[in-house]
Amino acid sequence: MRIGILALQGGYNAHAMAVRDLGHSALEIREELQLPHIDGLILPGGESTAQLKLIARFGLESPLREFVQSKKPVLSTCAGLILCAKEVVGPSQRSFGWLDVCVHRNAWGRQLDSFEGYADNEDLPLCFIRAPRITSVGLKTKVLATLNNEAIFVQEENVFGTTFHPELTSDRRVHQMVFGTA
Ligand code: GLN
C-alpha cells in the first residue's frame, strides 16, 4: 500500500520508517493533489495548534475530511489524535470530530513528564511525549489498548488514534493493525 503521512509539522519521518518496515511505501503529504494517490493516511504527533494553523493555511481540512470519509485506514498519533477528536479540553481547541473521543491536551504533564511503559493488555511498548489523555470514549469507539485501565489506543471504523508514539519504538504492531503487512 502507499501510505501518506501528513508532513506539515512534527514527527512524520519515524512513521515513514515504520510503514516501510511493513513493506509499504511512504509518501510525505503536503498538498491536496497527493491525497488521491494514497491508500492510507497517518496524522503524526507534534504540536496540534501549529498543525491546525498549517492545515488551514494550505486548505487541507476538507480534502483530509474527504479522505477520512472514503473509509481508507487512518492512524492518528498524539497531536494527530487531538486533531481528530470530537472534543479537546485543557485548553479547548478546535478539532475535526473524526473520532468520537474527548481528549485532554498535555494531561500527563510537561516535556519532563514524558515517559515509557507497557500497555495493560499484551506487552506493547509505549512512549508518551507531552501526551494527551482520552477522558471519554463514544459508544461506537472501540478501545484497543489501555494503560492502568485508561484508553490509549482507540478505533472508530477506519480511524485509529493513539495517545502514545508507536513509531518511536521498534514494535510495529500498531501500524500493522491499521495498514496490514504488504
Ligand atoms: N502536546 C502536544 C499537543 O497538544 C502533543 C504532543 C505530541 O504530539 N507528542 O499538540
Side-chain angles (χ1 to χ4, degrees), residues 45-49 78-79 82 105-106 129-130 165:
E47 250 342 292
S48 54
T49 41
C78 207
I82 296 171
R105 289 183 66 203
N106 300 316
I129 304 171
R130 283 178 297 111
H165 286 268

Side-chain angles (χ1 to χ4, degrees), residues 19 66-67 77 94 121 126 150 161:
V19 296
E66 270 170 43
F67 187 89
T77 58
R94 203 175 114 59
N121 38 343
L126 308 170
E150 188 177 306

Side-chain angles (χ1 to χ4, degrees), residues 50-66:
Q51 294 186 2
L52 265 181
K53 284 186 192 150
L54 292 167
I55 287 170
R57 183 182 306 165
F58 296 113
L60 283 170
E61 180 174 338
S62 353
L64 288 171
R65 182 181 304 277
E66 270 170 43

Side-chain angles (χ1 to χ4, degrees), residues 85-89 99-104 133-138:
K86 196 164 188 181
E87 192 189 353
V88 178
V89 296
L99 195 45
D100 191 1
V101 288
C102 175
V103 298
H104 190 306
R133 285 173 101 147
I134 296 172
T135 54
S136 70
V137 174

